[in-house]
Amino acid sequence: MSLIPSFFGSHRSNILDPFSLEIWDPFKDFPFSSEPPQFARETSALVNTRVDWKETPEAHVFKADLPGLNKEEVKVEVEDDRVLQISGERKVEKEEKKDTWHRVERSSGKFLRRFRLPENAKMDQIKAAMENGVLTVTVPKVEAKKPDVKAIEISG
């Protein structure tokens, strides 16, 4: 960045030259600048992992959009306190010196989503499947016990 020469000898001053051809970016160190630092790119994958959760009469069904990932890059786990955890990582595409990138919009980095499962979840029968970039986790439900109804004879 060009600086205006000092009036006190050959030293340069700290005053910015408004006529410099170099563009000064006051936001260059913030994660939302025009060229985001690696940290911003890594966290964007977490934010962009979308998950739907629906409840059917038989199960709780989670669907996560994970385009470009295969099942080896995704983990589905259940913790002791009934927490379903979906995690994984999108690898950054290797950049080669001869390539010129015009736009980088696909997110990369680690992602993690957690869901507390309700009491009616059968924790030992959870299944997961991956098809066309969509992860489906099915958590069967315990059948609601119907109350025993006993007819009482009315005397009199």
Side-chain angles (χ1 to χ4, degrees), residues 4-22:
I4 297 174
S6 171
F7 294 109
F8 305 105
S10 62
H11 299 288
R12 300 240 176 208
S13 79
N14 291 331
I15 301 172
L16 298 175
D17 180 359
F19 302 106
S20 169
L21 294 178
E22 187 175 334

Side-chain angles (χ1 to χ4, degrees), residues 77-129:
E77 301 170 310
V78 178
E79 296 178 355
D80 291 334
D81 52 351
R82 309 182 77 78
V83 175
L84 174 69
Q85 180 171 297
I86 301 170
S87 62
E89 182 174 7
R90 285 191 183 103
K91 302 287 184 194
V92 177
E93 189 170 331
K94 293 180 182 170
E95 297 181 23
E96 295 189 25
K97 298 285 183 196
K98 62 183 179 185
D99 295 340
T100 302
W101 291 80
H102 294 282
R103 185 172 298 274
V104 177
E105 294 183 346
R106 295 182 303 144
S107 57
S108 60
K110 295 179 181 182
F111 62 91
L112 170 71
R113 296 295 308 270
R114 298 175 66 157
F115 303 92
R116 180 163 306 281
L117 297 172
E119 293 294 321
N120 67 351
K122 290 184 179 178
M123 304 301 291
D124 57 337
Q125 296 180 15
I126 298 174
K127 295 193 183 327

